[in-house]
């Protein structure tokens, strides 16, 4: 297909120069795995300097420690002591939720924060155990090994799952595969966390009601059945005590939100609850009247647990599966929390560095009697509000926990379990973010249903089912966005050369005889068939519309490819078929603003020759101007063909190329400067009249 009527745009769309395959592959890999170009700081540096910068990149403490000051330490000291007051009761509580000995919860707030302080890039993230992950561990590993019948084997599996979680997290960071975590959308995490928070709260009814036996299932029906089947075993002492402490914790949170000065009370409330609960039980001997307590906690630092990693266990696959799932959840929450506070305080964190830091602290933790730790929002919020200035606050927290392990663990002997349940409930209620769900409904209904699906899957199924539903629906949305890209009709904004979507701009007008379509996504094998069918449908609908309003018939189809970043062989085949279809209808196909990669493929496939270079335009405006010119001058060409003057006969043998807009006088001068014989003025006047006064010029080749 050549230039119809000899028409050709003055400004052509060039084919980019081809690059060697290896160089193209290198560029693609760099864009995929190193979008932040972490090696730019190594350019033009000496070898010793490169080694130092490389160490600082992987161990960020080497970069900021030399600039650390006493003023920064004062702020971090206060923040560290504050989060330690939260870490101790939460650590014991979440360990209880994970069905492991409470002392492991304290161990997990000692070693991992020290590792993160050296390797992490967030100044605000407070490392610690997470309620949702604790529940996941209990629900998944509790199905293969009973934590009550085989506690040692169960704890070994917990350490093994933590090891594989850390290995998975570190691998993602080292291999620069952090983008995989982004497949968990905000709506997915919101629904999953909300569902998990609901189940965590329901699970705490065991402690609040003083029940001894309770279901290991996590779905709503099983939990409620377990609660109401044991009505005769409810203990009013535990219920009253639990409700009082829960009311106290929620009240301090309420006042801290109303007035910033009450922040400290809210931060210290869990520790205050533990102290008051322990004193109350000790003085009233409530432990002898049916109020369960923590009991003995052995003193001392974390014992090594390398030998407890159960690589030879028959349940190894269950540990690996659990490790990968809790690793993903820990990463998703931790990185999201870190980025939130970094954005708020106007600094940047490196997602891949965070993954390496999380992975290394969990690998080290699994070898020192810790279970999985991440960056819980509640503890990080307390850390930030307490004035944290760097990761040293984690070191201070770990130091306080170390002192607790060495000297203070006997003081927790009389801590009632009902207080721990109250602390857990008050902490996870913050995950039930109904305002964010309402915002999703207003902003994006599809995201809302993703969130709802994840929530219902967790609450009525299980943690695993909810996670599978959430990820599946998120991937389905990605697939749909690729397989069913948007195509929109463009119209002209009045009194301008701008063309925009007619849905978005109701004032935009159709261009008579021309259908302008914009494709809003790359064209791949997954969507090429859909695009072919959808574009054909647009053509049918436009033809029907023109017939119904008795306007001029459809003559041309312009595809705006400005949003098509790439195209594969299936996409090229689709364009070839489309070109044949429009050809059969007597229509002309044109392309506007094809991108670099698209032009390369068009050139290599020789499709650019079939379409014709003259039908590939730099902008939609140029394409419309060219078509409008040709459409409006069809009658003029007929007049020229019917004219028997010498100049008319000469014009019949020439190829015409509109090349620039001229005033009428300039047009006449142009033709008068040619070597044509008399009669030229008749022809010129015929062309000008056919244009209706439009100011176009011609050149003859």
């Amino acid at each position: 297909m050549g230039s119809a009527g000899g028409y050709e745009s003055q400004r052509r769309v060039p084919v980019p120069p081809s690059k060697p395959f290896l160089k193209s592959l290198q560029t693609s890999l760099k864009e995929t795995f190193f979008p932040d170009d972490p090696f730019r700081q190594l350019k033009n540096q000496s070898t010793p300097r490169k080694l130092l910068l490389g160490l600082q990149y992987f161990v960020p403490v080497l970069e900021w420690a030399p600039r650390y000051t006493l003023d920064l330490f004062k702020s971090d000291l206060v923040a560290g002591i504050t989060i330690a007051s939260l870490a101790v009761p939460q650590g014991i509580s979440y360990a209880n939720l994970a069905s492991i000995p409470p002392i492991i919860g304290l161990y997990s707030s000692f070693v991992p924060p020290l590792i993160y302080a050296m390797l992490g890039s967030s100044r605000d993230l407070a490392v610690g155990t997470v309620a949702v992950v604790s529940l996941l561990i209990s629900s998944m590993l509790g199905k293969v090994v009973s934590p009550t019948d085989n506690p040692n084997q169960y704890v070994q599996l917990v350490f093994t799952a933590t090891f594989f979680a850390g290995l998975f997290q570190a691998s993602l960071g080292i291999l620069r595969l952090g983008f995989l975590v982004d497949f968990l959308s905000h709506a997915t995490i919101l629904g999953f966390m909300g569902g998990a928070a609901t189940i965590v709260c329901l699970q705490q009814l065991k402690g609040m009601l003083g029940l001894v036996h309770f279901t290991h299932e996590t779905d709503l029906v099983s939990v409620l059945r377990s609660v109401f089947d044991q009505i005769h075993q409810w203990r009013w002492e535990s219920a009253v005590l639990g409700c009082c402490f829960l009311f106290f914790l929620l009240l301090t949170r309420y006042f801290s939100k109303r007035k910033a000065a009450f922040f400290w009370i809210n931060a210290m409330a869990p520790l205050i609850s533990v102290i008051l609960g322990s004193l109350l039980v000790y003085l009233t001997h409530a432990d002898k009247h049916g109020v369960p307590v923590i009991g003995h906690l052995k003193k001392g630092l974390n014992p090594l647990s390398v030998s407890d990693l159960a690589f030879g266990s028959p349940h190894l696959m269950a540990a690996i599966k659990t490790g990968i799932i809790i690793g993903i959840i820990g990463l998703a929450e931790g990185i999201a929390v870190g980025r939130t506070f970094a954005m708020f305080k106007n600094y940047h964190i490196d997602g891949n560095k965070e993954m390496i830091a999380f992975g290394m602290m969990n690998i080290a933790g699994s070898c020192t009697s810790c279970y999985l730790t991440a960056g819980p929002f509640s503890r990080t919020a307390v850390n930030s509000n307490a004035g944290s200035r760097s990761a040293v606050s984690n070191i201070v927290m770990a130091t306080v926990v170390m002192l607790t392990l060495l000297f203070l663990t006997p003081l927790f002997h009389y801590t009632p379990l009902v207080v721990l349940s109250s602390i857990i409930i008050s902490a996870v209620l913050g995950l039930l973010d109904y305002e964010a769900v309402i915002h999703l409904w207003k902003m994006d209904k599809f995201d809302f249903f993703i969130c709802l699906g994840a929530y219902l899957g967790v609450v009525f199924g299980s943690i695993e089912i909810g996670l599978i539903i959430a990820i599946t629906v998120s991937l389905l949305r990605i697939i749909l966005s690729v397989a069913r890209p948007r195509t929109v009709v463009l119209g002209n904004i009045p009194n301008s050369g701008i063309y925009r979507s007619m849905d978005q701009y109701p004032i935009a007008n159709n261009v008579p005889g021309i259908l302008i379509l914009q494709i809003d996504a790359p064209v791949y094998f997954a969507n090429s068939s859909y695009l072919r069918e959808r574009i054909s449908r647009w053509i049918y609908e436009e033809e029907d519309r023109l017939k119904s309003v008795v306007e001029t018939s459809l003559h041309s189809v312009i595809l705006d490819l400005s949003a098509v970043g790439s195209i594969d062989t299936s996409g090229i085949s689709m364009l070839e078929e489309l070109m044949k279809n429009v050809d059969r209808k007597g229509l002309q196909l044109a392309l506007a603003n094809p991108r670099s990669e698209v032009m390369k493929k068009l050139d290599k496939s020789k499709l650019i020759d079939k379409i014709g270079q003259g039908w590939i335009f730099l902008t939609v405006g140029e394409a419309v101007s060219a078509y409008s010119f040709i459409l409006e001058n069809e009658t003029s060409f007929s007049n020229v063909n019917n004219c028997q003057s010498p100049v008319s006969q000469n014009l019949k043998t020439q190829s015409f190329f509109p090349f620039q807009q001229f005033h009428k006088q300039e047009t006449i001068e142009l033709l008068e400067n040619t070597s044509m014989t008399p009669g030229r003025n008749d022809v010129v006047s015929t062309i000008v009249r056919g244009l209706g006064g439009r100011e176009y010029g011609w050149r003859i080749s």
Side-chain angles (χ1 to χ4, degrees), residues 548-606:
S548 64
V549 297
V550 197
E551 289 186 8
T552 179
S553 60
L554 184 63
H555 294 279
S556 313
V557 177
I558 300 174
L559 292 184
D560 179 7
L561 303 181
S562 56
V564 180
S566 58
I567 189 170
D568 66 357
T569 53
S570 298
I572 293 294
S573 299
M574 180 274 292
L575 288 178
E576 290 179 341
E577 291 182 42
L578 182 63
M579 187 181 67
K580 293 176 182 178
N581 291 340
V582 298
D583 237 8
R584 283 195 294 268
K585 290 176 172 289
L587 307 177
Q588 176 60 52
L589 177 67
L591 308 180
N593 194 25
R595 306 284 291 276
S596 172
E597 292 301 316
V598 176
M599 283 300 292
K600 288 179 183 177
K601 295 288 179 65
L602 290 174
D603 181 55
K604 291 178 180 179
S605 65
K606 306 301 181 182

Side-chain angles (χ1 to χ4, degrees), residues 254-429:
Y254 172 78
F255 280 115
S256 69
K257 289 182 178 179
R258 294 291 297 271
K259 194 172 183 179
F262 290 109
F263 156 73
W264 298 102
I265 298 177
N266 180 48
M268 301 294 289
L271 185 59
I272 293 172
S273 299
V274 169
I275 295 172
L276 291 177
S278 300
L279 286 174
L280 186 62
V281 170
Y282 177 75
L283 295 175
T284 62
H285 303 287
D287 56 320
K288 298 178 181 178
H289 296 85
V291 177
V293 296
I294 290 178
H296 174 69
L297 291 179
K298 63 179 181 180
K299 294 167 61 175
L301 299 181
N302 306 33
L304 291 178
S305 56
V306 178
S307 59
D308 290 327
L309 297 178
F311 297 129
S313 170
H315 307 297
L316 179 63
M317 290 309 299
I320 294 175
K321 173 187 171 184
T322 304
I324 291 175
I325 291 176
I326 62 177
I328 291 173
I329 297 300
L331 274 184
E333 181 179 9
I335 292 177
V337 169
R339 283 175 176 168
T340 299
F341 284 91
M343 189 184 307
F344 179 72
K345 293 192 175 181
N346 196 29
Y347 67 91
H348 173 72
I349 66 169
D350 188 322
N352 287 292
K353 280 186 188 178
E354 290 295 284
M355 291 179 188
I356 295 173
F358 275 46
M360 296 308 295
M361 76 179 184
N362 282 313
I363 291 174
S366 68
C367 298
T368 52
S369 301
C370 304
Y371 79 108
L372 189 125
T373 51
F377 179 82
S378 59
R379 197 177 300 188
T380 302
V382 170
N383 190 36
S384 179
N385 292 334
S388 169
R389 304 285 295 278
S390 74
V392 171
S393 61
N394 279 292
I395 298 176
V396 174
M397 177 189 69
T399 304
V400 174
V401 173
M402 178 189 71
L403 295 174
T404 303
L405 288 168
L406 289 173
F407 306 109
L408 304 179
T409 50
L411 299 180
F412 295 100
H413 179 93
Y414 291 100
T415 301
L417 295 181
V418 67
V419 171
L420 303 184
S421 296
S422 301
I423 292 172
I424 292 173
I425 292 174
S426 66
V428 301
L429 282 178

Side-chain angles (χ1 to χ4, degrees), residues 22 202 375 473:
L22 290 179
L202 291 173
V473 176

